[in-house]
Amino acid sequence: MKNTTAWEKYGKKELKELEALNSEYKAFLDGGKTERECVDQVVEMAEKAGYEELGGVLASGRKIKAGDKLYAVCMGKTIAMFNIGSEPLECGMNILGAHIDSPRLDVKGNPLYESNGQAYLDTHYYGGIKKYLWVTQPMAIHGVVCKKDGTTVKLAIGEDPKDPVFVFTDLLIHLSHAQMDKKASDVVSGEALDLLVGNRPLAKADLGEDEKEAVKANVLRLIKDKYGFDEEDFYSAELEIVPAGKARDCGFDSSMILAYGHDDRVCAFTSLKAMLDVEAGKRTTCCLLVDKEEIGSVGATGMSGHFFENAVAELVANMEGESALKTRKALANSMMLSSDVDAAYDPLYAEAYEAKNSAYMSCGLALMKFTGSRGKGGSNDANAEYIAKVRKIFDDADVSYQFSELGKVDVGGGGTIAYIMAKFGMEVIDSGVPLFNMHAPYEVASKADVYEAYKGYKAFIK
Ligand code: MN
Ligand code: MN
């Protein structure tokens, strides 16, 4: 069995559609560098398509019926969308799931300090990263600062061409003899990843009596003037350091996209587009975009939280009368594509892959029966009968797809949200877009795979 490139099957019409979809995807990436920014964009797109907020509909006492389009948001970071079908919810849903958090550096609670004439923001990385890749690159600060008066300041500094950017410094090569002999995991330590944010001291005359550090004091003044918050407000902030700048076409042929956050916004965006473009028939369709996958799907906004289950219970209660059993049946009878990115076979690092069970760039949606590591530990296992059904759906819709495992046996591995949904008893398979250099500041995806993912998700929920 051999994988074939999807590019060869496209005519003029498909290529036009492919480019339009990818342009929209790049704009989605540029507008959504944090999970909160992604949710804001999704809500805007959903409302434009006629979706209503579930809480408001429930509060109004209105009875939900077939054809209704609803969404629910959890703490601004996770969102579930439902397009209600004609059969009872207990018959199950067709679910598209993906995550919208990405690896990055988070600003600590007490972050700002001055050292030897520079001001820095202390960070703690989020998700699995090769730390040495994140130094000497232009970085932006995105997120929210929540103040005691109940107001929230939204920040995205470093994206407008007039904005300054920030940087994590690295040791110059001339003095790196000892550093170059270190293991890659030790070359840049977690505590060395402090963001350079200032170098100019406040004039002596303007310094307060208890202000000893003039560079830090100057940064705090600028923050207060421009963004309206104080040093203590960092305690109640969620600020994420991400690569600055826009998603770009990659290659002479512009066949790929180089961008921050493909993992997993590439699956989130294509799932969302499919959800918005397909009208529900008999079965209710659902698109679930969640937070915290990169650190184990923990917390209220991660897949392990009860937000999704609660939303389904609310729907059942409204439409059919409160029933714990019907809620369980609705979940157990569902089918899901749990979508997350896959490792694309990289010939420059061939030793990490098993060639005939790897996903290839531009060969379409990658399906994984199981993920996990070292003997499938921590994995979901998609049922063979279900995989046969998914193959038929994709073949009938002329979707390019491939089967893969993440790397060679015992080389590594990874987890997704699939096993959490599988606990409800539903049919789940991991599917997603193959990437080069996953979890690096800039990752590579093929435009053909973005297009095939969208087509596959559409066929699946139809
Ligand atoms: Mn990841
Ligand atoms: Mn992922």
Side-chain angles (χ1 to χ4, degrees), residues 136-211:
T136 73
Q137 311 242 18
M139 305 301 279
I141 301 174
H142 287 240
V144 296
V145 181
C146 298
K147 300 202 289 183
K148 282 200 289 184
D149 65 7
T151 59
T152 295
V153 183
K154 278 192 190 184
L155 298 180
I157 312 166
E159 303 297 351
D160 189 291
K162 281 179 279 181
D163 282 352
V165 292
F166 309 90
V167 72
F168 297 107
T169 55
D170 187 25
L171 188 62
L172 61 165
I173 183 68
H174 313 68
L175 302 182
S176 291
H177 193 71
Q179 188 199 35
M180 296 300 279
D181 282 341
K182 284 185 183 172
K183 264 171 53 188
S185 56
D186 300 331
V187 166
V188 173
S189 77
E191 281 300 349
L193 284 171
D194 290 352
L195 194 69
L196 181 62
V197 297
N199 173 242
R200 179 174 171 179
L202 196 66
K204 280 214 174 73
D206 297 331
L207 271 179
E209 249 178 48
D210 51 353
E211 286 178 311

Side-chain angles (χ1 to χ4, degrees), residues 99 263-264 293-294 340-341:
H99 70 91
D263 180 4
D264 184 33
E293 192 279 339
E294 295 295 356
D340 204 344
V341 291

Side-chain angles (χ1 to χ4, degrees), residues 99 101-103 127-128 262-264 293-295 340-341 415 435 438-439 443:
H99 70 91
D101 60 316
S102 297
H262 281 311
D263 180 4
D264 184 33
E293 192 279 339
E294 295 295 356
I295 58 166
D340 204 344
V341 291
L435 300 183
M438 191 195 297
H439 284 206
E443 304 168 315

